[in-house]
PDB file of all heavy atoms in Angstrom:
ATOM      1  N   GLU A 760     133.779 151.731 127.015  1.00 63.00           N
ATOM      2  CA  GLU A 760     132.987 151.183 125.920  1.00 63.00           C
ATOM      3  C   GLU A 760     132.923 149.660 126.042  1.00 63.00           C
ATOM      4  O   GLU A 760     133.931 148.988 126.280  1.00 63.00           O
ATOM      5  CB  GLU A 760     133.617 151.558 124.569  1.00 63.00           C
ATOM      6  CG  GLU A 760     133.342 152.979 124.144  1.00 63.00           C
ATOM      7  CD  GLU A 760     131.905 153.157 123.719  1.00 63.00           C
ATOM      8  OE1 GLU A 760     131.472 152.450 122.826  1.00 63.00           O
ATOM      9  OE2 GLU A 760     131.222 153.994 124.323  1.00 63.00           O
ATOM     10  N   LYS A 761     131.746 149.094 125.903  1.00 63.00           N
ATOM     11  CA  LYS A 761     131.557 147.656 126.045  1.00 63.00           C
ATOM     12  C   LYS A 761     131.849 146.963 124.724  1.00 63.00           C
ATOM     13  O   LYS A 761     131.182 147.197 123.724  1.00 63.00           O
ATOM     14  CB  LYS A 761     130.126 147.356 126.493  1.00 63.00           C
ATOM     15  CG  LYS A 761     129.807 147.866 127.889  1.00 63.00           C
ATOM     16  CD  LYS A 761     128.399 147.502 128.309  1.00 63.00           C
ATOM     17  CE  LYS A 761     128.110 147.990 129.718  1.00 63.00           C
ATOM     18  NZ  LYS A 761     126.740 147.644 130.153  1.00 63.00           N
ATOM     19  N   LEU A 762     132.894 146.105 124.723  1.00 63.00           N
ATOM     20  CA  LEU A 762     133.262 145.356 123.527  1.00 63.00           C
ATOM     21  C   LEU A 762     132.966 143.883 123.756  1.00 63.00           C
ATOM     22  O   LEU A 762     132.824 143.421 124.886  1.00 63.00           O
ATOM     23  CB  LEU A 762     134.748 145.563 123.211  1.00 63.00           C
ATOM     24  CG  LEU A 762     135.185 147.019 122.985  1.00 63.00           C
ATOM     25  CD1 LEU A 762     136.679 147.099 122.769  1.00 63.00           C
ATOM     26  CD2 LEU A 762     134.449 147.621 121.790  1.00 63.00           C
ATOM     27  N   GLU A 763     132.920 143.127 122.670  1.00 65.00           N
ATOM     28  CA  GLU A 763     132.619 141.707 122.752  1.00 65.00           C
ATOM     29  C   GLU A 763     133.611 140.920 121.893  1.00 65.00           C
ATOM     30  O   GLU A 763     134.229 141.446 120.968  1.00 65.00           O
ATOM     31  CB  GLU A 763     131.186 141.431 122.277  1.00 65.00           C
ATOM     32  CG  GLU A 763     130.124 142.134 123.122  1.00 65.00           C
ATOM     33  CD  GLU A 763     128.713 141.887 122.598  1.00 65.00           C
ATOM     34  OE1 GLU A 763     128.609 141.248 121.529  1.00 65.00           O
ATOM     35  OE2 GLU A 763     127.750 142.321 123.243  1.00 65.00           O
ATOM     36  N   GLY A 764     133.708 139.616 122.172  1.00 63.00           N
ATOM     37  CA  GLY A 764     134.495 138.704 121.341  1.00 63.00           C
ATOM     38  C   GLY A 764     135.961 139.066 121.288  1.00 63.00           C
ATOM     39  O   GLY A 764     136.589 139.432 122.297  1.00 63.00           O
ATOM     40  N   ASP A 765     136.564 138.946 120.071  1.00 65.00           N
ATOM     41  CA  ASP A 765     137.996 139.223 119.881  1.00 65.00           C
ATOM     42  C   ASP A 765     138.356 140.650 120.252  1.00 65.00           C
ATOM     43  O   ASP A 765     139.441 140.920 120.770  1.00 65.00           O
ATOM     44  CB  ASP A 765     138.393 138.949 118.433  1.00 65.00           C
ATOM     45  CG  ASP A 765     138.335 137.455 118.107  1.00 65.00           C
ATOM     46  OD1 ASP A 765     138.353 136.657 119.058  1.00 65.00           O
ATOM     47  OD2 ASP A 765     138.272 137.111 116.911  1.00 65.00           O
ATOM     48  N   ALA A 766     137.434 141.569 119.976  1.00 70.00           N
ATOM     49  CA  ALA A 766     137.709 142.972 120.287  1.00 70.00           C
ATOM     50  C   ALA A 766     137.899 143.161 121.792  1.00 70.00           C
ATOM     51  O   ALA A 766     138.800 143.890 122.241  1.00 70.00           O
ATOM     52  CB  ALA A 766     136.573 143.857 119.777  1.00 70.00           C
ATOM     53  N   ALA A 767     137.068 142.499 122.593  1.00 69.00           N
ATOM     54  CA  ALA A 767     137.195 142.604 124.042  1.00 69.00           C
ATOM     55  C   ALA A 767     138.498 141.973 124.524  1.00 69.00           C
ATOM     56  O   ALA A 767     139.176 142.496 125.426  1.00 69.00           O
ATOM     57  CB  ALA A 767     135.996 141.940 124.705  1.00 69.00           C
ATOM     58  N   LEU A 768     138.873 140.816 123.915  1.00 70.00           N
ATOM     59  CA  LEU A 768     140.103 140.133 124.312  1.00 70.00           C
ATOM     60  C   LEU A 768     141.330 140.972 123.963  1.00 70.00           C
ATOM     61  O   LEU A 768     142.253 141.127 124.771  1.00 70.00           O
ATOM     62  CB  LEU A 768     140.168 138.763 123.623  1.00 70.00           C
ATOM     63  CG  LEU A 768     141.316 137.839 124.076  1.00 70.00           C
ATOM     64  CD1 LEU A 768     141.216 137.545 125.564  1.00 70.00           C
ATOM     65  CD2 LEU A 768     141.293 136.546 123.262  1.00 70.00           C
ATOM     66  N   ASN A 769     141.328 141.547 122.754  1.00 74.00           N
ATOM     67  CA  ASN A 769     142.456 142.389 122.342  1.00 74.00           C
ATOM     68  C   ASN A 769     142.579 143.605 123.242  1.00 74.00           C
ATOM     69  O   ASN A 769     143.683 144.039 123.589  1.00 74.00           O
ATOM     70  CB  ASN A 769     142.285 142.831 120.884  1.00 74.00           C
ATOM     71  CG  ASN A 769     142.510 141.673 119.922  1.00 74.00           C
ATOM     72  OD1 ASN A 769     143.234 140.734 120.237  1.00 74.00           O
ATOM     73  ND2 ASN A 769     141.892 141.744 118.750  1.00 74.00           N
ATOM     74  N   LYS A 770     141.422 144.174 123.604  1.00 75.00           N
ATOM     75  CA  LYS A 770     141.454 145.339 124.485  1.00 75.00           C
ATOM     76  C   LYS A 770     142.041 144.970 125.854  1.00 75.00           C
ATOM     77  O   LYS A 770     142.792 145.745 126.459  1.00 75.00           O
ATOM     78  CB  LYS A 770     140.046 145.903 124.636  1.00 75.00           C
ATOM     79  CG  LYS A 770     140.005 147.160 125.492  1.00 75.00           C
ATOM     80  CD  LYS A 770     138.606 147.728 125.563  1.00 75.00           C
ATOM     81  CE  LYS A 770     138.585 148.982 126.434  1.00 75.00           C
ATOM     82  NZ  LYS A 770     137.233 149.555 126.540  1.00 75.00           N
ATOM     83  N   LEU A 771     141.723 143.751 126.342  1.00 77.00           N
ATOM     84  CA  LEU A 771     142.261 143.295 127.622  1.00 77.00           C
ATOM     85  C   LEU A 771     143.773 143.180 127.556  1.00 77.00           C
ATOM     86  O   LEU A 771     144.499 143.641 128.449  1.00 77.00           O
ATOM     87  CB  LEU A 771     141.628 141.950 127.998  1.00 77.00           C
ATOM     88  CG  LEU A 771     142.180 141.282 129.258  1.00 77.00           C
ATOM     89  CD1 LEU A 771     141.955 142.157 130.481  1.00 77.00           C
ATOM     90  CD2 LEU A 771     141.552 139.913 129.453  1.00 77.00           C
ATOM     91  N   PHE A 772     144.286 142.556 126.464  1.00 77.00           N
ATOM     92  CA  PHE A 772     145.741 142.427 126.310  1.00 77.00           C
ATOM     93  C   PHE A 772     146.414 143.794 126.231  1.00 77.00           C
ATOM     94  O   PHE A 772     147.485 144.017 126.807  1.00 77.00           O
ATOM     95  CB  PHE A 772     146.060 141.611 125.057  1.00 77.00           C
ATOM     96  CG  PHE A 772     145.688 140.144 125.174  1.00 77.00           C
ATOM     97  CD1 PHE A 772     145.326 139.415 124.053  1.00 77.00           C
ATOM     98  CD2 PHE A 772     145.700 139.514 126.404  1.00 77.00           C
ATOM     99  CE1 PHE A 772     144.988 138.077 124.153  1.00 77.00           C
ATOM    100  CE2 PHE A 772     145.358 138.165 126.517  1.00 77.00           C
ATOM    101  CZ  PHE A 772     145.001 137.457 125.385  1.00 77.00           C
ATOM    102  N   GLN A 773     145.781 144.725 125.493  1.00 80.00           N
ATOM    103  CA  GLN A 773     146.351 146.068 125.375  1.00 80.00           C
ATOM    104  C   GLN A 773     146.409 146.755 126.734  1.00 80.00           C
ATOM    105  O   GLN A 773     147.391 147.439 127.056  1.00 80.00           O
ATOM    106  CB  GLN A 773     145.520 146.906 124.397  1.00 80.00           C
ATOM    107  CG  GLN A 773     145.615 146.436 122.955  1.00 80.00           C
ATOM    108  CD  GLN A 773     144.619 147.143 122.055  1.00 80.00           C
ATOM    109  OE1 GLN A 773     143.943 148.078 122.484  1.00 80.00           O
ATOM    110  NE2 GLN A 773     144.516 146.692 120.817  1.00 80.00           N
ATOM    111  N   GLN A 774     145.356 146.559 127.528  1.00 80.00           N
ATOM    112  CA  GLN A 774     145.318 147.188 128.841  1.00 80.00           C
ATOM    113  C   GLN A 774     146.387 146.609 129.763  1.00 80.00           C
ATOM    114  O   GLN A 774     147.040 147.336 130.519  1.00 80.00           O
ATOM    115  CB  GLN A 774     143.919 147.004 129.461  1.00 80.00           C
ATOM    116  CG  GLN A 774     143.669 147.865 130.687  1.00 80.00           C
ATOM    117  CD  GLN A 774     143.700 149.346 130.357  1.00 80.00           C
ATOM    118  OE1 GLN A 774     143.094 149.767 129.383  1.00 80.00           O
ATOM    119  NE2 GLN A 774     144.425 150.122 131.151  1.00 80.00           N
ATOM    120  N   ILE A 775     146.563 145.274 129.700  1.00 83.00           N
ATOM    121  CA  ILE A 775     147.609 144.628 130.514  1.00 83.00           C
ATOM    122  C   ILE A 775     148.974 145.160 130.130  1.00 83.00           C
ATOM    123  O   ILE A 775     149.812 145.462 130.981  1.00 83.00           O
ATOM    124  CB  ILE A 775     147.554 143.096 130.345  1.00 83.00           C
ATOM    125  CG1 ILE A 775     146.240 142.545 130.946  1.00 83.00           C
ATOM    126  CG2 ILE A 775     148.758 142.436 130.992  1.00 83.00           C
ATOM    127  CD1 ILE A 775     146.021 141.069 130.682  1.00 83.00           C
ATOM    128  N   TYR A 776     149.205 145.313 128.817  1.00 81.00           N
ATOM    129  CA  TYR A 776     150.499 145.794 128.337  1.00 81.00           C
ATOM    130  C   TYR A 776     150.734 147.239 128.782  1.00 81.00           C
ATOM    131  O   TYR A 776     151.823 147.592 129.244  1.00 81.00           O
ATOM    132  CB  TYR A 776     150.548 145.694 126.812  1.00 81.00           C
ATOM    133  CG  TYR A 776     151.907 146.025 126.228  1.00 81.00           C
ATOM    134  CD1 TYR A 776     152.896 145.047 126.122  1.00 81.00           C
ATOM    135  CD2 TYR A 776     152.193 147.310 125.793  1.00 81.00           C
ATOM    136  CE1 TYR A 776     154.147 145.356 125.593  1.00 81.00           C
ATOM    137  CE2 TYR A 776     153.429 147.629 125.264  1.00 81.00           C
ATOM    138  CZ  TYR A 776     154.409 146.645 125.165  1.00 81.00           C
ATOM    139  OH  TYR A 776     155.630 146.955 124.639  1.00 81.00           O
ATOM    140  N   CYS A 777     149.702 148.086 128.647  1.00 83.00           N
ATOM    141  CA  CYS A 777     149.853 149.499 129.000  1.00 83.00           C
ATOM    142  C   CYS A 777     150.100 149.686 130.494  1.00 83.00           C
ATOM    143  O   CYS A 777     150.888 150.545 130.898  1.00 83.00           O
ATOM    144  CB  CYS A 777     148.613 150.285 128.574  1.00 83.00           C
ATOM    145  SG  CYS A 777     148.434 150.456 126.790  1.00 83.00           S
ATOM    146  N   ASP A 778     149.418 148.891 131.314  1.00 82.00           N
ATOM    147  CA  ASP A 778     149.528 149.044 132.759  1.00 82.00           C
ATOM    148  C   ASP A 778     150.691 148.257 133.361  1.00 82.00           C
ATOM    149  O   ASP A 778     151.008 148.427 134.538  1.00 82.00           O
ATOM    150  CB  ASP A 778     148.222 148.599 133.442  1.00 82.00           C
ATOM    151  CG  ASP A 778     147.047 149.476 133.045  1.00 82.00           C
ATOM    152  OD1 ASP A 778     147.282 150.606 132.568  1.00 82.00           O
ATOM    153  OD2 ASP A 778     145.892 149.022 133.194  1.00 82.00           O
ATOM    154  N   GLY A 779     151.306 147.397 132.555  1.00 81.00           N
ATOM    155  CA  GLY A 779     152.339 146.510 133.092  1.00 81.00           C
ATOM    156  C   GLY A 779     153.684 147.184 133.292  1.00 81.00           C
ATOM    157  O   GLY A 779     153.961 148.253 132.746  1.00 81.00           O
ATOM    158  N   SER A 780     154.542 146.511 134.072  1.00 87.00           N
ATOM    159  CA  SER A 780     155.903 147.003 134.291  1.00 87.00           C
ATOM    160  C   SER A 780     156.756 146.701 133.066  1.00 87.00           C
ATOM    161  O   SER A 780     156.315 146.053 132.119  1.00 87.00           O
ATOM    162  CB  SER A 780     156.493 146.318 135.529  1.00 87.00           C
ATOM    163  OG  SER A 780     156.602 144.913 135.283  1.00 87.00           O
ATOM    164  N   ASP A 781     157.991 147.190 133.098  1.00 87.00           N
ATOM    165  CA  ASP A 781     158.899 146.914 131.977  1.00 87.00           C
ATOM    166  C   ASP A 781     159.116 145.411 131.804  1.00 87.00           C
ATOM    167  O   ASP A 781     159.220 144.912 130.676  1.00 87.00           O
ATOM    168  CB  ASP A 781     160.242 147.613 132.208  1.00 87.00           C
ATOM    169  CG  ASP A 781     160.123 149.132 132.091  1.00 87.00           C
ATOM    170  OD1 ASP A 781     159.115 149.589 131.488  1.00 87.00           O
ATOM    171  OD2 ASP A 781     161.012 149.840 132.586  1.00 87.00           O
ATOM    172  N   GLU A 782     159.194 144.671 132.915  1.00 88.00           N
ATOM    173  CA  GLU A 782     159.398 143.222 132.822  1.00 88.00           C
ATOM    174  C   GLU A 782     158.185 142.549 132.191  1.00 88.00           C
ATOM    175  O   GLU A 782     158.317 141.625 131.381  1.00 88.00           O
ATOM    176  CB  GLU A 782     159.667 142.639 134.219  1.00 88.00           C
ATOM    177  CG  GLU A 782     161.047 142.948 134.754  1.00 88.00           C
ATOM    178  CD  GLU A 782     161.350 142.130 136.000  1.00 88.00           C
ATOM    179  OE1 GLU A 782     160.423 141.457 136.506  1.00 88.00           O
ATOM    180  OE2 GLU A 782     162.520 142.165 136.463  1.00 88.00           O
ATOM    181  N   VAL A 783     156.997 142.996 132.546  1.00 86.00           N
ATOM    182  CA  VAL A 783     155.780 142.434 131.949  1.00 86.00           C
ATOM    183  C   VAL A 783     155.770 142.683 130.447  1.00 86.00           C
ATOM    184  O   VAL A 783     155.452 141.793 129.641  1.00 86.00           O
ATOM    185  CB  VAL A 783     154.521 143.034 132.608  1.00 86.00           C
ATOM    186  CG1 VAL A 783     153.270 142.683 131.806  1.00 86.00           C
ATOM    187  CG2 VAL A 783     154.390 142.532 134.044  1.00 86.00           C
ATOM    188  N   LYS A 784     156.116 143.904 130.028  1.00 88.00           N
ATOM    189  CA  LYS A 784     156.123 144.223 128.602  1.00 88.00           C
ATOM    190  C   LYS A 784     157.167 143.391 127.858  1.00 88.00           C
ATOM    191  O   LYS A 784     156.910 142.894 126.760  1.00 88.00           O
ATOM    192  CB  LYS A 784     156.391 145.715 128.412  1.00 88.00           C
ATOM    193  CG  LYS A 784     155.244 146.592 128.922  1.00 88.00           C
ATOM    194  CD  LYS A 784     155.573 148.077 128.769  1.00 88.00           C
ATOM    195  CE  LYS A 784     154.417 148.926 129.305  1.00 88.00           C
ATOM    196  NZ  LYS A 784     154.721 150.377 129.214  1.00 88.00           N
ATOM    197  N   ARG A 785     158.360 143.213 128.465  1.00 88.00           N
ATOM    198  CA  ARG A 785     159.398 142.401 127.823  1.00 88.00           C
ATOM    199  C   ARG A 785     158.928 140.960 127.691  1.00 88.00           C
ATOM    200  O   ARG A 785     159.161 140.299 126.667  1.00 88.00           O
ATOM    201  CB  ARG A 785     160.703 142.478 128.621  1.00 88.00           C
ATOM    202  CG  ARG A 785     161.448 143.790 128.465  1.00 88.00           C
ATOM    203  CD  ARG A 785     162.909 143.647 128.878  1.00 88.00           C
ATOM    204  NE  ARG A 785     163.042 143.271 130.289  1.00 88.00           N
ATOM    205  CZ  ARG A 785     163.143 144.140 131.276  1.00 88.00           C
ATOM    206  NH1 ARG A 785     163.121 145.437 131.021  1.00 88.00           N
ATOM    207  NH2 ARG A 785     163.276 143.734 132.531  1.00 88.00           N
ATOM    208  N   ALA A 786     158.284 140.459 128.740  1.00 87.00           N
ATOM    209  CA  ALA A 786     157.805 139.077 128.715  1.00 87.00           C
ATOM    210  C   ALA A 786     156.755 138.886 127.613  1.00 87.00           C
ATOM    211  O   ALA A 786     156.767 137.886 126.882  1.00 87.00           O
ATOM    212  CB  ALA A 786     157.234 138.696 130.079  1.00 87.00           C
ATOM    213  N   MET A 787     155.820 139.836 127.493  1.00 87.00           N
ATOM    214  CA  MET A 787     154.777 139.722 126.480  1.00 87.00           C
ATOM    215  C   MET A 787     155.362 139.785 125.072  1.00 87.00           C
ATOM    216  O   MET A 787     154.982 139.004 124.188  1.00 87.00           O
ATOM    217  CB  MET A 787     153.731 140.828 126.692  1.00 87.00           C
ATOM    218  CG  MET A 787     152.930 140.683 127.992  1.00 87.00           C
ATOM    219  SD  MET A 787     151.732 142.014 128.263  1.00 87.00           S
ATOM    220  CE  MET A 787     150.483 141.563 127.047  1.00 87.00           C
TER     221      MET A 787
END
């Protein structure tokens, strides 16, 4: 789904968190 603005940015952060390692999640 194509999102814009804050919604797109939040979705990017959520995706990074979901795909990240345990160290990435702890750091965030």
Side-chain angles (χ1 to χ4, degrees):
E760 282 288 303
K761 294 182 179 180
L762 302 176
E763 299 178 355
D765 291 341
L768 188 60
N769 288 333
K770 183 177 180 181
L771 175 61
F772 291 150
Q773 292 171 7
Q774 192 64 46
I775 293 173
Y776 186 86
C777 290
D778 296 340
S780 64
D781 290 341
E782 286 191 352
V783 168
K784 293 178 181 178
R785 285 199 298 269
M787 293 178 73

